[in-house]
Amino acid sequence: MSIKATRTGIVLRPDPTRVLFRPFELGSTTRNLKIIARVGGMTDEEAEQKLDEVIREFGGRHYKLERFLLQRFEQIKPQLLTDEPLTLERKLLLGAYFTMEYSLESAALFNPSMIWHPDQSNVPPGYKRFILSLRATGEGHISSISFRMGYIDEEGKIVLRKPSRYVTSPEIVSNHRFNRAQFERKLYELRLENSIQEKMMAGLGDEFSLPELDAQIKRVSAQYRYNAEYETIAGGLLALAKSNYEIHFEEDQSLDERCIFPTSPNETNGIEDARFVQFTDDNGEVTYYATYTAYNGKVTFPQLLETKDFTHFSISTLNGAEVSNKGMALFPRKIGGRYVMISRQDGENIYLMYSDDLYFWQTKELILKPTYNWEYVQLGNCGSPIETEAGWLVLSHGVGPMRKYAIGAFLLDLNDPGKVIGRTTEPILSPDENEREGYVPNVVYSCGGLLNGRELIIPYAMSDYASSFATVNIDELLAELVGQNKPEVVNSQEVVS
């Protein structure tokens, strides 16, 4: 018997009206100075009229626009030629000339991940609130993390809440402190630990901030001017520090008004495919993690995002010999006292990883190879494993002829996830005629589903453009997976498939 998902008919399309303000960077000091001079040549009346026009036209489109314009003024202030005091209106206007709108999902809204909302208060009996994270893609194909909210009613119907008109990126926490021991271990993994690095780290305490590290690097580098090796090590130290950071949203902002926009050097070209999971530690403490892919235009970097309240987030690099490629997904709890991750380091096979440290991954074991014709090109996960009474259920994607993506599933042993209990021989969801056209044709893809009672909910992307939901009866799916008993040889070890 072949299990097929049932489509809900819900379609979540990108909304180009959801814009946020971003710095408008010209990349030329000369041009910046010319703009500043032109604004300085305006009369007070002209400046006030132009500012009034800006506020009328853009004020209703943004959350606290004037505060951002003042921040932009402070960033360009060092380029002013004099210390002559400026009026508030002049500061705001100058800030506006160096600000732009960015439509974060003008191109696509796809690759969703679904988790239960941490706040289930004031929900009617039988209802349950959820959070949907999505990959929003805008101008320049820059991807960020966008959020939607909704609930599932007592009959299992999915209802999405209409998002707010406003959308804002977070503030970077300026006083973030680094743990020196962990930072130096990451330097070792990046092969940046040497005598030069030791000099640049000398004098820093067990904890330090980015400004403290920067000041120390400048002191040491000043003694070795025009030394390329020192510049390389300094650049590596600062890039690592800037890639491990914290961000914070204001608590009065609705979750769907929050956008995690690329910030670090690793992310300059986008944050891709966040796989959120509700992780419960051995002591019962709950943390929401998301593995995601940072992209700088040349290389992809697996990274980790963590939060307890979706207001304050910490972003960390993942390190170790086996941290590579895309599509890592964390199990929702430890197994045998260790963290566990599903991964795909070689672009085509699925591996299992264990680690005592969440941020360092050194080993992997092969558990699944492409076996059926719809997955001959490659396999991958579609989000974190879901715990069921029969085992760890993992949604997967396979790629077949014409680079067609389809979604399947496999089941792993609860206590020994390296043991494969069963896998779908046919896809449970493939792109139909209404879904195959888009930015990347012939693709259905998910970054994580949810179990609601005896129904599996699969949020999925349609051809890298829009998103939808499908459902599967969990009992029927598990019965098919558990009922399989054909042996399969994987990596010279026999497991049940």
Side-chain angles (χ1 to χ4, degrees), residues 327-340:
M328 300 173 73
L330 186 68
F331 278 64
R333 63 173 173 84
K334 293 180 181 178
I335 301 175
R338 292 188 293 171
Y339 296 100
V340 192

Side-chain angles (χ1 to χ4, degrees), residues 11-14 105-111 135 437-440 461-467:
V11 179
L12 183 59
R13 292 184 173 85
E105 55 190 59
S106 58
L109 189 65
F110 61 119
N111 293 2
R135 176 178 170 184
E437 310 297 351
Y439 187 75
V440 181
M462 303 183 297
S463 296
D464 283 13
Y465 170 69
S467 297

Side-chain angles (χ1 to χ4, degrees), residues 331-336 338 340-342 352-354 365 367-368 385-394 409-423 478 481-482 484 494-497:
F331 278 64
R333 63 173 173 84
K334 293 180 181 178
I335 301 175
R338 292 188 293 171
V340 192
M341 192 97 77
I342 287 282
L352 190 70
M353 307 167 70
Y354 289 92
E365 59 177 287
I367 61 170
L368 282 176
I386 299 169
E387 187 167 5
T388 74
E389 68 276 10
W392 295 104
L393 178 65
V394 184
F410 58 91
L411 193 66
L412 305 177
D413 185 87
L414 280 178
N415 299 314
D416 180 12
K419 180 181 179 182
V420 181
I421 296 172
R423 63 195 288 187
L478 292 178
L481 295 172
V482 172
Q484 298 176 12
E494 186 175 87
V495 299
V496 176
S497 176

Side-chain angles (χ1 to χ4, degrees), residues 200-490:
M200 292 181 173
M201 295 284 291
L204 297 174
D206 292 338
E207 288 191 348
F208 60 91
S209 66
L210 176 59
E212 290 169 350
L213 174 63
D214 188 34
Q216 178 66 9
I217 288 174
K218 287 177 178 176
R219 280 194 292 270
V220 174
S221 298
Q223 303 171 36
Y224 302 91
R225 245 176 232 183
Y226 311 116
N227 187 308
E229 187 176 7
Y230 273 73
E231 289 181 4
T232 299
I233 298 298
L237 285 172
L238 291 173
L240 177 60
K242 290 176 181 178
S243 297
N244 292 265
Y245 60 97
E246 295 177 74
I247 54 177
H248 184 81
F249 292 93
E250 294 192 18
E251 293 185 4
D252 61 352
Q253 286 180 277
S254 173
L255 180 58
D256 53 28
E257 295 177 350
R258 304 173 189 181
C259 165
I260 300 179
F261 202 81
T263 297
S264 77
N266 288 351
E267 302 167 349
T268 51
N269 279 61
I271 295 173
E272 303 178 358
D273 304 344
R275 289 161 161 81
F276 275 88
V277 62
Q278 179 180 319
F279 183 90
T280 304
D281 214 333
D282 292 341
N283 61 6
E285 185 176 358
V286 172
T287 304
Y288 297 89
Y289 292 107
T291 50
Y292 70 90
T293 302
Y295 182 52
N296 67 2
K298 296 180 180 178
V299 183
T300 58
F301 303 87
Q303 298 215 154
L304 185 72
L305 179 152
E306 55 192 282
T307 184
K308 291 187 179 295
D309 55 11
F310 286 85
T311 298
H312 189 96
F313 295 80
S314 296
I315 289 87
S316 305
T317 52
L318 290 173
N319 295 84
E322 297 302 339
V323 173
S324 63
N325 213 286
K326 305 169 78 172
M328 300 173 73
L330 186 68
F331 278 64
R333 63 173 173 84
K334 293 180 181 178
I335 301 175
R338 292 188 293 171
Y339 296 100
V340 192
M341 192 97 77
I342 287 282
S343 61
R344 187 188 66 200
Q345 280 82 349
D346 59 7
E348 62 178 355
N349 301 300
I350 292 180
Y351 293 84
L352 190 70
M353 307 167 70
Y354 289 92
S355 179
D356 294 322
D357 191 315
L358 181 60
Y359 308 101
F360 296 87
W361 300 84
Q362 306 291 0
T363 62
K364 68 177 185 294
E365 59 177 287
L366 176 63
I367 61 170
L368 282 176
K369 295 180 180 179
T371 299
Y372 304 104
N373 56 31
W374 57 278
E375 57 184 26
Y376 277 173
V377 175
Q378 70 183 47
L379 281 171
N381 71 70
C382 281
S384 291
I386 299 169
E387 187 167 5
T388 74
E389 68 276 10
W392 295 104
L393 178 65
V394 184
L395 290 170
S396 62
H397 66 261
V399 182
M402 301 299 291
R403 200 182 61 162
K404 178 182 175 181
Y405 277 67
I407 294 176
F410 58 91
L411 193 66
L412 305 177
D413 185 87
L414 280 178
N415 299 314
D416 180 12
K419 180 181 179 182
V420 181
I421 296 172
R423 63 195 288 187
T424 52
T425 59
E426 297 288 340
I428 60 177
L429 188 68
S430 297
D432 65 15
E433 286 303 311
N434 296 319
E435 299 167 343
R436 63 179 303 188
E437 310 297 351
Y439 187 75
V440 181
N442 308 307
V443 174
V444 289
Y445 193 92
S446 177
C447 285
L450 269 183
L451 195 58
N452 181 45
R454 306 311 297 170
E455 188 173 66
L456 175 65
I457 302 173
I458 307 173
Y460 67 97
M462 303 183 297
S463 296
D464 283 13
Y465 170 69
S467 297
S468 187
F469 298 85
T471 62
V472 176
N473 181 283
I474 190 66
D475 294 315
E476 293 177 1
L477 179 58
L478 292 178
E480 175 167 330
L481 295 172
V482 172
Q484 298 176 12
N485 55 15
K486 295 179 182 179
E488 176 189 358
V489 177
V490 176

Side-chain angles (χ1 to χ4, degrees), residues 96-203:
Y97 273 98
F98 292 92
T99 296
M100 59 178 269
E101 283 192 334
Y102 184 86
S103 180
L104 77 155
E105 55 190 59
S106 58
L109 189 65
F110 61 119
N111 293 2
S113 175
M114 191 175 183
I115 54 170
W116 295 122
H117 199 296
D119 181 9
Q120 294 293 332
S121 61
N122 302 317
V123 176
Y127 286 56
K128 208 162 185 182
R129 190 177 289 132
F130 66 82
I131 295 173
L132 192 71
S133 73
L134 300 117
R135 176 178 170 184
T137 302
E139 178 186 352
H141 197 71
I142 304 299
S143 295
S144 54
I145 299 175
S146 182
F147 296 101
R148 296 288 195 275
M149 292 186 293
Y151 62 85
I152 299 171
D153 68 16
E154 55 190 351
E155 297 179 351
K157 181 182 177 182
I158 299 168
V159 179
L160 282 168
R161 189 180 106 169
K162 183 177 175 60
S164 164
R165 174 67 179 79
Y166 301 115
V167 59
T168 307
S169 55
E171 298 286 336
I172 298 177
V173 176
S174 59
N175 59 352
H176 174 69
R177 308 291 293 179
F178 298 95
N179 177 282
R180 178 168 180 157
Q182 187 181 77
F183 191 84
E184 289 182 333
R185 185 179 176 190
K186 291 188 175 187
L187 289 173
Y188 174 79
E189 296 289 348
L190 294 170
R191 296 180 173 85
L192 288 174
E193 194 172 58
N194 55 29
S195 59
I196 298 175
Q197 169 265 319
E198 290 175 359
K199 292 177 184 176
M200 292 181 173
M201 295 284 291

